[in-house]
């Protein structure tokens, strides 16, 4: 019996960055394309030919470089092992992508035994990429534009660090969507939180969490999420010094909601959003 190969996280991260290169080449070429094909999935969310092409390309590369690893992808489901599982959102922010809004990204994560340990977020329309592996810090860099398809990083990467804001009264937050909080039965709690903080905005999708990791925001949260919406964000937020749980405080990307903070505000935010538990 052949023993499974053991990979260093640094090698997995390098592969994640290479997967992002391949994804960016496809998604950038389809962004604002006049012949973009858009269909509706059974859950009434949109999917484009770019979403499907990106995920197929990533799956093919993983089959070549990590044939024993499992995959969980938004468009084509789960295959293989969950011990080492690549979790893929080919285009996070599809609704914006198809309307020509540049706030979208490919999210790539490796989870080992259900814990995300590598995260890559690549947003070619914003010209930015963020990445992290457990124990190696969180980083970002600009993307080089080459024939509208960024394939490499430009300049030295910047190490990320969350803010030092330690009171809600001074905090700037991003809450995602009012409808999601309302449908989850937490709209009143969000309004209560909004009255205690300095500034509220809804930046949307992965960008809120990357702004938090960069120290520009202090708190981000939303509902109605899937594991592939969150897994890549977690190592980046945590390696930047932040904390990432569900809105009710459970760790990991498996609980349908996200609450990311600069750590200093996490306990206070959980208390406001879960008054019955505090």
């Amino acid at each position: 019996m052949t023993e499974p190969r053991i990979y260093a996280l640094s090698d997995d991260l390098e592969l994640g960055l290479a997967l992002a290169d391949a994804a960016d080449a496809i998604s950038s070429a389809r962004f604002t394309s006049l012949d973009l094909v858009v269909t509706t999935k059974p859950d009434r969310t949109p999917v484009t030919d770019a979403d499907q092409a990106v995920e197929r390309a990533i799956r093919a590369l993983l089959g070549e470089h990590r044939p024993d690893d499992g995959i969980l992808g938004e468009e084509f489901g789960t295959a293989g092992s969950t011990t080492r599982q690549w979790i893929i959102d080919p285009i996070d922010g599809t609704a914006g992508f198809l309307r020509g809004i540049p706030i979208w990204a490919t999210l790539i994560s490796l989870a080992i035994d259900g814990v995300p340990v590598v995260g890559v977020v690549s947003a070619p329309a914003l010209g930015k990429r963020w990445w992290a592996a457990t124990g190696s810090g969180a980083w970002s860099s600009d993307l080089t534009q080459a024939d509208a398809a960024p394939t490499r990083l430009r300049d030295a990467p910047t190490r990320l660090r969350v803010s030092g804001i330690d009171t809600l009264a001074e905090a700037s937050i991003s809450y995602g969507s009012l409808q999601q909080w309302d449908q989850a039965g937490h709209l009143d709690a969000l309004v209560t939180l909004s009255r205690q903080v300095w500034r509220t905005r809804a930046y949307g999708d992965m960008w809120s969490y990357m702004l938090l990791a960069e120290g520009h925001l202090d708190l981000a949260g939303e509902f109605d999420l899937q594991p592939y919406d969150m897994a890549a964000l977690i190592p980046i937020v945590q390696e930047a010094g932040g904390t990432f749980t569900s809105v009710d405080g459970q760790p990991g990307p498996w609980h349908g909601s996200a609450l990311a903070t600069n750590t200093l505000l996490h306990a206070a935010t959980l208390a406001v959003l879960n008054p019955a538990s505090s």
Side-chain angles (χ1 to χ4, degrees), residues 19-36 48-55 57-58 89-94 96-98 100-102 104-108 121-129 143 145 147-151:
L19 297 175
D21 288 343
D24 288 354
I26 296 168
S27 59
S28 296
R30 299 301 291 149
F31 185 50
T32 69
S33 175
L34 296 179
D35 63 346
L36 188 71
T48 70
D49 62 291
D51 294 80
Q52 295 173 335
V54 168
E55 186 166 325
I58 291 174
D89 189 342
I91 297 179
D92 179 60
T94 297
F97 180 91
L98 63 86
I101 297 170
W104 53 270
T106 294
L107 310 185
I108 299 166
V121 173
S122 197
L126 294 176
K128 290 278 290 185
R129 184 178 294 176
L143 292 167
Q145 297 291 329
D147 298 325
T151 57

Short mmCIF file of all heavy atoms in Angstrom, two decimals, residues 19-36 48-55 57-58 89-94 96-98 100-102 104-108 121-129 143 145 147-151:
data_model
loop_
_atom_site.label_atom_id
_atom_site.label_comp_id
_atom_site.label_asym_id
_atom_site.label_seq_id
_atom_site.Cartn_x
_atom_site.Cartn_y
_atom_site.Cartn_z
N LEU A 19 -2.58 28.27 -9.08
CA LEU A 19 -3.98 28.08 -9.45
C LEU A 19 -4.65 29.43 -9.67
O LEU A 19 -5.47 29.59 -10.59
CB LEU A 19 -4.72 27.31 -8.35
CG LEU A 19 -4.26 25.88 -8.06
CD1 LEU A 19 -5.03 25.32 -6.87
CD2 LEU A 19 -4.43 24.99 -9.28
N ALA A 20 -4.31 30.40 -8.83
CA ALA A 20 -4.88 31.74 -8.98
C ALA A 20 -4.44 32.38 -10.29
O ALA A 20 -5.22 33.09 -10.95
CB ALA A 20 -4.50 32.61 -7.79
N ASP A 21 -3.17 32.16 -10.69
CA ASP A 21 -2.70 32.67 -11.98
C ASP A 21 -3.57 32.13 -13.12
O ASP A 21 -3.99 32.88 -14.01
CB ASP A 21 -1.25 32.25 -12.22
CG ASP A 21 -0.26 32.99 -11.34
OD1 ASP A 21 -0.62 34.04 -10.78
OD2 ASP A 21 0.88 32.51 -11.23
N ALA A 22 -3.82 30.84 -13.08
CA ALA A 22 -4.63 30.22 -14.13
C ALA A 22 -6.05 30.75 -14.11
O ALA A 22 -6.65 31.02 -15.17
CB ALA A 22 -4.62 28.70 -13.96
N ALA A 23 -6.60 30.92 -12.91
CA ALA A 23 -7.96 31.44 -12.78
C ALA A 23 -8.06 32.86 -13.31
O ALA A 23 -9.00 33.20 -14.05
CB ALA A 23 -8.39 31.38 -11.32
N ASP A 24 -7.09 33.71 -12.96
CA ASP A 24 -7.13 35.10 -13.37
C ASP A 24 -7.08 35.25 -14.90
O ASP A 24 -7.72 36.14 -15.47
CB ASP A 24 -5.96 35.87 -12.76
CG ASP A 24 -6.11 36.11 -11.27
OD1 ASP A 24 -7.18 35.78 -10.72
OD2 ASP A 24 -5.16 36.61 -10.65
N ALA A 25 -6.29 34.40 -15.53
CA ALA A 25 -6.19 34.48 -16.99
C ALA A 25 -7.54 34.23 -17.66
O ALA A 25 -7.89 34.86 -18.66
CB ALA A 25 -5.16 33.47 -17.49
N ILE A 26 -8.33 33.33 -17.07
CA ILE A 26 -9.65 33.01 -17.63
C ILE A 26 -10.67 34.08 -17.27
O ILE A 26 -11.38 34.61 -18.14
CB ILE A 26 -10.12 31.63 -17.13
CG1 ILE A 26 -9.18 30.53 -17.62
CG2 ILE A 26 -11.55 31.35 -17.56
CD1 ILE A 26 -9.40 29.19 -16.94
N SER A 27 -10.76 34.42 -15.99
CA SER A 27 -11.80 35.33 -15.54
C SER A 27 -11.60 36.73 -16.10
O SER A 27 -12.58 37.40 -16.48
CB SER A 27 -11.85 35.37 -14.01
OG SER A 27 -10.61 35.78 -13.47
N SER A 28 -10.37 37.19 -16.17
CA SER A 28 -10.11 38.53 -16.70
C SER A 28 -10.53 38.65 -18.16
O SER A 28 -11.06 39.68 -18.59
CB SER A 28 -8.63 38.88 -16.57
OG SER A 28 -8.24 38.93 -15.22
N ALA A 29 -10.30 37.60 -18.92
CA ALA A 29 -10.66 37.63 -20.33
C ALA A 29 -12.18 37.66 -20.53
O ALA A 29 -12.66 38.16 -21.56
CB ALA A 29 -10.06 36.42 -21.05
N ARG A 30 -12.94 37.13 -19.55
CA ARG A 30 -14.39 37.08 -19.68
C ARG A 30 -15.09 38.26 -19.02
O ARG A 30 -16.27 38.51 -19.29
CB ARG A 30 -14.92 35.77 -19.06
CG ARG A 30 -14.40 34.50 -19.71
CD ARG A 30 -14.76 34.45 -21.19
NE ARG A 30 -16.19 34.28 -21.41
CZ ARG A 30 -16.85 34.75 -22.46
NH1 ARG A 30 -16.21 35.45 -23.39
NH2 ARG A 30 -18.14 34.55 -22.59
N PHE A 31 -14.39 38.99 -18.15
CA PHE A 31 -15.00 40.12 -17.46
C PHE A 31 -15.36 41.21 -18.46
O PHE A 31 -14.54 41.62 -19.27
CB PHE A 31 -14.03 40.65 -16.41
CG PHE A 31 -14.59 41.76 -15.55
CD1 PHE A 31 -15.83 41.62 -14.93
CD2 PHE A 31 -13.88 42.92 -15.36
CE1 PHE A 31 -16.34 42.63 -14.13
CE2 PHE A 31 -14.38 43.95 -14.56
CZ PHE A 31 -15.62 43.80 -13.95
N THR A 32 -16.60 41.67 -18.40
CA THR A 32 -17.21 42.66 -19.31
C THR A 32 -17.30 42.17 -20.74
O THR A 32 -17.51 42.96 -21.66
CB THR A 32 -16.49 44.03 -19.26
OG1 THR A 32 -15.18 43.92 -19.84
CG2 THR A 32 -16.38 44.56 -17.84
N SER A 33 -17.15 40.86 -20.95
CA SER A 33 -17.28 40.32 -22.30
C SER A 33 -18.74 40.41 -22.76
O SER A 33 -19.67 40.12 -22.00
CB SER A 33 -16.82 38.86 -22.31
OG SER A 33 -17.05 38.28 -23.57
N LEU A 34 -18.93 40.78 -24.01
CA LEU A 34 -20.28 40.94 -24.54
C LEU A 34 -20.97 39.61 -24.78
O LEU A 34 -22.21 39.56 -24.89
CB LEU A 34 -20.23 41.74 -25.85
CG LEU A 34 -19.74 43.19 -25.72
CD1 LEU A 34 -19.71 43.86 -27.09
CD2 LEU A 34 -20.62 43.98 -24.76
N ASP A 35 -20.21 38.52 -24.86
CA ASP A 35 -20.84 37.22 -25.11
C ASP A 35 -20.83 36.34 -23.86
O ASP A 35 -20.95 35.12 -23.95
CB ASP A 35 -20.16 36.49 -26.27
CG ASP A 35 -18.69 36.16 -25.99
OD1 ASP A 35 -18.13 36.72 -25.03
OD2 ASP A 35 -18.12 35.35 -26.76
N LEU A 36 -20.72 36.95 -22.67
CA LEU A 36 -20.76 36.20 -21.42
C LEU A 36 -22.09 35.45 -21.31
O LEU A 36 -23.17 36.03 -21.51
CB LEU A 36 -20.61 37.15 -20.24
CG LEU A 36 -20.45 36.52 -18.86
CD1 LEU A 36 -19.07 35.86 -18.74
CD2 LEU A 36 -20.64 37.57 -17.77
N THR A 48 -22.01 32.08 -14.45
CA THR A 48 -21.56 32.43 -15.79
C THR A 48 -20.65 31.34 -16.35
O THR A 48 -20.17 30.47 -15.61
CB THR A 48 -20.78 33.76 -15.80
OG1 THR A 48 -19.51 33.55 -15.16
CG2 THR A 48 -21.55 34.85 -15.07
N ASP A 49 -20.43 31.40 -17.65
CA ASP A 49 -19.48 30.46 -18.24
C ASP A 49 -18.08 30.65 -17.65
O ASP A 49 -17.30 29.70 -17.60
CB ASP A 49 -19.45 30.62 -19.77
CG ASP A 49 -18.99 32.00 -20.22
OD1 ASP A 49 -19.73 32.97 -20.01
OD2 ASP A 49 -17.90 32.11 -20.79
N ALA A 50 -17.78 31.86 -17.16
CA ALA A 50 -16.47 32.10 -16.55
C ALA A 50 -16.33 31.35 -15.23
O ALA A 50 -15.28 30.76 -14.95
CB ALA A 50 -16.27 33.60 -16.32
N ASP A 51 -17.38 31.34 -14.39
CA ASP A 51 -17.36 30.56 -13.15
C ASP A 51 -17.00 29.11 -13.45
O ASP A 51 -16.13 28.51 -12.79
CB ASP A 51 -18.73 30.59 -12.46
CG ASP A 51 -19.15 31.95 -11.95
OD1 ASP A 51 -19.63 32.76 -12.75
OD2 ASP A 51 -19.01 32.19 -10.74
N GLN A 52 -17.70 28.54 -14.41
CA GLN A 52 -17.51 27.12 -14.71
C GLN A 52 -16.15 26.85 -15.32
O GLN A 52 -15.49 25.86 -14.98
CB GLN A 52 -18.63 26.66 -15.64
CG GLN A 52 -20.01 26.73 -14.98
CD GLN A 52 -21.14 26.45 -15.94
OE1 GLN A 52 -21.01 26.64 -17.16
NE2 GLN A 52 -22.27 26.01 -15.42
N ALA A 53 -15.69 27.73 -16.20
CA ALA A 53 -14.38 27.53 -16.83
C ALA A 53 -13.25 27.63 -15.81
O ALA A 53 -12.29 26.85 -15.85
CB ALA A 53 -14.18 28.54 -17.95
N VAL A 54 -13.35 28.59 -14.89
CA VAL A 54 -12.32 28.73 -13.87
C VAL A 54 -12.27 27.49 -12.98
O VAL A 54 -11.19 26.95 -12.71
CB VAL A 54 -12.57 29.99 -13.01
CG1 VAL A 54 -11.69 29.98 -11.77
CG2 VAL A 54 -12.31 31.24 -13.83
N GLU A 55 -13.43 27.01 -12.55
CA GLU A 55 -13.39 25.84 -11.67
C GLU A 55 -12.89 24.60 -12.40
O GLU A 55 -12.14 23.80 -11.82
CB GLU A 55 -14.77 25.57 -11.06
CG GLU A 55 -14.72 24.45 -10.04
CD GLU A 55 -15.95 24.36 -9.16
OE1 GLU A 55 -16.54 25.40 -8.82
OE2 GLU A 55 -16.33 23.22 -8.81
N ALA A 57 -10.69 24.54 -14.77
CA ALA A 57 -9.23 24.68 -14.91
C ALA A 57 -8.53 24.37 -13.59
O ALA A 57 -7.50 23.68 -13.57
CB ALA A 57 -8.90 26.10 -15.36
N ILE A 58 -9.08 24.85 -12.48
CA ILE A 58 -8.47 24.57 -11.18
C ILE A 58 -8.54 23.09 -10.86
O ILE A 58 -7.56 22.49 -10.38
CB ILE A 58 -9.17 25.40 -10.08
CG1 ILE A 58 -8.84 26.89 -10.27
CG2 ILE A 58 -8.75 24.94 -8.69
CD1 ILE A 58 -9.58 27.81 -9.32
N ASP A 89 -14.02 28.72 -4.67
CA ASP A 89 -15.08 29.56 -5.23
C ASP A 89 -14.48 30.21 -6.47
O ASP A 89 -13.65 31.10 -6.36
CB ASP A 89 -15.53 30.62 -4.23
CG ASP A 89 -16.79 31.36 -4.70
OD1 ASP A 89 -17.11 31.29 -5.90
OD2 ASP A 89 -17.45 32.00 -3.86
N PRO A 90 -14.87 29.75 -7.66
CA PRO A 90 -14.19 30.23 -8.87
C PRO A 90 -14.34 31.73 -9.09
O PRO A 90 -13.38 32.38 -9.52
CB PRO A 90 -14.84 29.41 -9.99
CG PRO A 90 -16.14 28.95 -9.42
CD PRO A 90 -15.91 28.76 -7.97
N ILE A 91 -15.53 32.26 -8.81
CA ILE A 91 -15.72 33.72 -8.84
C ILE A 91 -16.64 34.07 -7.68
O ILE A 91 -17.86 33.85 -7.75
CB ILE A 91 -16.30 34.21 -10.18
CG1 ILE A 91 -15.33 33.93 -11.33
CG2 ILE A 91 -16.61 35.71 -10.11
CD1 ILE A 91 -15.82 34.37 -12.70
N ASP A 92 -16.07 34.60 -6.63
CA ASP A 92 -16.85 35.12 -5.52
C ASP A 92 -17.29 36.52 -5.89
O ASP A 92 -16.47 37.39 -6.14
CB ASP A 92 -15.98 35.15 -4.26
CG ASP A 92 -16.73 35.72 -3.07
OD1 ASP A 92 -17.75 35.13 -2.69
OD2 ASP A 92 -16.29 36.75 -2.53
N GLY A 93 -18.62 36.72 -5.94
CA GLY A 93 -19.15 37.99 -6.42
C GLY A 93 -19.63 37.91 -7.86
O GLY A 93 -19.50 38.88 -8.62
N THR A 94 -20.21 36.77 -8.22
CA THR A 94 -20.68 36.59 -9.60
C THR A 94 -21.70 37.65 -10.01
O THR A 94 -21.69 38.13 -11.14
CB THR A 94 -21.29 35.19 -9.78
OG1 THR A 94 -20.28 34.20 -9.55
CG2 THR A 94 -21.85 35.00 -11.18
N GLY A 96 -21.89 40.72 -9.16
CA GLY A 96 -21.17 41.92 -9.56
C GLY A 96 -20.38 41.72 -10.84
O GLY A 96 -20.33 42.60 -11.71
N PHE A 97 -19.77 40.55 -10.97
CA PHE A 97 -18.98 40.21 -12.16
C PHE A 97 -19.82 40.39 -13.43
O PHE A 97 -19.37 41.00 -14.41
CB PHE A 97 -18.49 38.77 -12.04
CG PHE A 97 -17.67 38.27 -13.20
CD1 PHE A 97 -16.30 38.41 -13.20
CD2 PHE A 97 -18.27 37.64 -14.28
CE1 PHE A 97 -15.53 37.93 -14.27
CE2 PHE A 97 -17.53 37.16 -15.34
CZ PHE A 97 -16.14 37.31 -15.34
N LEU A 98 -21.04 39.87 -13.42
CA LEU A 98 -21.84 39.91 -14.64
C LEU A 98 -22.41 41.30 -14.91
O LEU A 98 -22.87 41.58 -16.03
CB LEU A 98 -22.94 38.84 -14.61
CG LEU A 98 -24.02 38.94 -13.52
CD1 LEU A 98 -25.17 39.84 -13.93
CD2 LEU A 98 -24.56 37.53 -13.21
N GLY A 100 -20.40 43.99 -14.43
CA GLY A 100 -19.25 44.83 -14.68
C GLY A 100 -18.69 45.52 -13.45
O GLY A 100 -17.90 46.46 -13.56
N ILE A 101 -19.07 45.05 -12.26
CA ILE A 101 -18.55 45.62 -11.01
C ILE A 101 -17.26 44.88 -10.66
O ILE A 101 -17.24 43.64 -10.64
CB ILE A 101 -19.58 45.47 -9.88
CG1 ILE A 101 -20.84 46.29 -10.23
CG2 ILE A 101 -19.01 45.93 -8.54
CD1 ILE A 101 -22.01 46.04 -9.32
N PRO A 102 -16.16 45.56 -10.36
CA PRO A 102 -14.86 44.89 -10.21
C PRO A 102 -14.62 44.20 -8.88
O PRO A 102 -13.54 43.63 -8.69
CB PRO A 102 -13.87 46.04 -10.41
CG PRO A 102 -14.59 47.25 -9.93
CD PRO A 102 -16.03 47.04 -10.32
N TRP A 104 -14.84 41.31 -7.24
CA TRP A 104 -15.00 39.87 -7.32
C TRP A 104 -13.62 39.23 -7.28
O TRP A 104 -12.61 39.90 -7.50
CB TRP A 104 -15.74 39.45 -8.61
CG TRP A 104 -15.14 39.98 -9.87
CD1 TRP A 104 -15.43 41.16 -10.49
CD2 TRP A 104 -14.10 39.37 -10.67
NE1 TRP A 104 -14.64 41.32 -11.63
CE2 TRP A 104 -13.83 40.25 -11.75
CE3 TRP A 104 -13.39 38.18 -10.55
CZ2 TRP A 104 -12.86 39.95 -12.73
CZ3 TRP A 104 -12.43 37.89 -11.53
CH2 TRP A 104 -12.19 38.77 -12.60
N ALA A 105 -13.58 37.96 -6.97
CA ALA A 105 -12.27 37.30 -6.83
C ALA A 105 -12.44 35.79 -6.92
O ALA A 105 -13.52 35.25 -6.70
CB ALA A 105 -11.63 37.66 -5.48
N THR A 106 -11.34 35.13 -7.23
CA THR A 106 -11.27 33.67 -7.08
C THR A 106 -10.75 33.36 -5.68
O THR A 106 -9.74 33.93 -5.24
CB THR A 106 -10.34 33.06 -8.14
OG1 THR A 106 -10.92 33.26 -9.43
CG2 THR A 106 -10.16 31.56 -7.91
N LEU A 107 -11.45 32.47 -4.98
CA LEU A 107 -11.07 32.08 -3.62
C LEU A 107 -10.58 30.63 -3.65
O LEU A 107 -11.30 29.74 -4.10
CB LEU A 107 -12.27 32.18 -2.67
CG LEU A 107 -13.07 33.49 -2.68
CD1 LEU A 107 -14.13 33.45 -1.57
CD2 LEU A 107 -12.18 34.69 -2.53
N ILE A 108 -9.38 30.42 -3.15
CA ILE A 108 -8.75 29.10 -3.16
C ILE A 108 -8.24 28.80 -1.76
O ILE A 108 -7.49 29.60 -1.18
CB ILE A 108 -7.58 29.04 -4.15
CG1 ILE A 108 -8.07 29.33 -5.58
CG2 ILE A 108 -6.86 27.70 -4.09
CD1 ILE A 108 -6.95 29.62 -6.56
N VAL A 121 -6.74 34.72 -2.24
CA VAL A 121 -7.83 35.52 -2.77
C VAL A 121 -7.25 36.40 -3.87
O VAL A 121 -6.40 37.24 -3.61
CB VAL A 121 -8.47 36.40 -1.67
CG1 VAL A 121 -9.50 37.35 -2.27
CG2 VAL A 121 -9.11 35.53 -0.59
N SER A 122 -7.69 36.18 -5.10
CA SER A 122 -7.13 36.91 -6.23
C SER A 122 -8.22 37.70 -6.93
O SER A 122 -9.22 37.13 -7.40
CB SER A 122 -6.46 35.96 -7.22
OG SER A 122 -5.59 36.67 -8.08
N ALA A 123 -8.05 39.02 -6.98
CA ALA A 123 -9.05 39.93 -7.52
C ALA A 123 -8.45 40.73 -8.68
O ALA A 123 -8.03 41.87 -8.50
CB ALA A 123 -9.55 40.86 -6.42
N PRO A 124 -8.37 40.15 -9.86
CA PRO A 124 -7.65 40.80 -10.95
C PRO A 124 -8.26 42.12 -11.40
O PRO A 124 -7.52 43.01 -11.83
CB PRO A 124 -7.68 39.75 -12.07
CG PRO A 124 -8.83 38.85 -11.72
CD PRO A 124 -8.87 38.81 -10.24
N ALA A 125 -9.58 42.27 -11.29
CA ALA A 125 -10.18 43.54 -11.70
C ALA A 125 -9.83 44.66 -10.74
O ALA A 125 -9.85 45.84 -11.12
CB ALA A 125 -11.70 43.39 -11.81
N LEU A 126 -9.51 44.32 -9.51
CA LEU A 126 -9.02 45.30 -8.53
C LEU A 126 -7.50 45.42 -8.57
O LEU A 126 -6.92 46.29 -7.92
CB LEU A 126 -9.45 44.90 -7.11
CG LEU A 126 -10.94 44.95 -6.81
CD1 LEU A 126 -11.20 44.43 -5.39
CD2 LEU A 126 -11.50 46.35 -6.97
N GLY A 127 -6.85 44.48 -9.29
CA GLY A 127 -5.39 44.48 -9.37
C GLY A 127 -4.73 44.07 -8.07
O GLY A 127 -3.61 44.49 -7.79
N LYS A 128 -5.39 43.18 -7.30
CA LYS A 128 -4.88 42.82 -5.97
C LYS A 128 -4.95 41.30 -5.76
O LYS A 128 -5.82 40.63 -6.29
CB LYS A 128 -5.70 43.49 -4.88
CG LYS A 128 -5.52 44.99 -4.78
CD LYS A 128 -4.29 45.36 -4.00
CE LYS A 128 -4.44 45.05 -2.51
NZ LYS A 128 -3.29 45.52 -1.73
N ARG A 129 -4.01 40.82 -4.94
CA ARG A 129 -4.06 39.43 -4.49
C ARG A 129 -3.61 39.39 -3.03
O ARG A 129 -2.69 40.09 -2.63
CB ARG A 129 -3.17 38.52 -5.34
CG ARG A 129 -3.30 37.04 -4.93
CD ARG A 129 -2.44 36.14 -5.83
NE ARG A 129 -2.92 36.14 -7.19
CZ ARG A 129 -2.30 35.50 -8.19
NH1 ARG A 129 -1.17 34.85 -7.96
NH2 ARG A 129 -2.80 35.54 -9.42
N LEU A 143 -1.13 43.11 -8.76
CA LEU A 143 -0.98 42.20 -9.88
C LEU A 143 -0.46 42.95 -11.10
O LEU A 143 -0.87 44.07 -11.37
CB LEU A 143 -2.31 41.54 -10.23
CG LEU A 143 -2.86 40.55 -9.19
CD1 LEU A 143 -4.31 40.22 -9.51
CD2 LEU A 143 -2.03 39.28 -9.17
N GLN A 145 -0.43 43.69 -14.90
CA GLN A 145 -1.36 43.57 -16.00
C GLN A 145 -0.60 43.19 -17.27
O GLN A 145 0.34 43.87 -17.67
CB GLN A 145 -2.11 44.89 -16.23
CG GLN A 145 -2.97 45.32 -15.06
CD GLN A 145 -4.16 44.43 -14.86
OE1 GLN A 145 -4.69 43.87 -15.82
NE2 GLN A 145 -4.58 44.27 -13.62
N ASP A 147 -1.76 41.93 -21.10
CA ASP A 147 -2.83 41.57 -22.05
C ASP A 147 -4.14 41.30 -21.32
O ASP A 147 -4.87 40.36 -21.65
CB ASP A 147 -2.42 40.33 -22.87
CG ASP A 147 -1.18 40.59 -23.70
OD1 ASP A 147 -1.03 41.72 -24.18
OD2 ASP A 147 -0.39 39.64 -23.86
N ALA A 148 -4.44 42.12 -20.33
CA ALA A 148 -5.68 42.05 -19.55
C ALA A 148 -5.81 40.75 -18.77
O ALA A 148 -6.87 40.41 -18.30
CB ALA A 148 -6.90 42.22 -20.46
N ALA A 149 -4.73 40.00 -18.64
CA ALA A 149 -4.78 38.75 -17.89
C ALA A 149 -3.61 38.70 -16.93
O ALA A 149 -2.51 38.29 -17.31
CB ALA A 149 -4.76 37.55 -18.84
N PRO A 150 -3.79 39.17 -15.67
CA PRO A 150 -2.68 39.17 -14.73
C PRO A 150 -2.21 37.75 -14.42
O PRO A 150 -3.01 36.87 -14.15
CB PRO A 150 -3.25 39.84 -13.49
CG PRO A 150 -4.70 39.98 -13.70
CD PRO A 150 -5.02 39.67 -15.11
N THR A 151 -0.92 37.53 -14.48
CA THR A 151 -0.39 36.19 -14.24
C THR A 151 0.75 36.18 -13.24
O THR A 151 1.32 35.12 -13.00
CB THR A 151 0.10 35.55 -15.55
OG1 THR A 151 1.08 36.41 -16.14
CG2 THR A 151 -1.05 35.37 -16.52
#
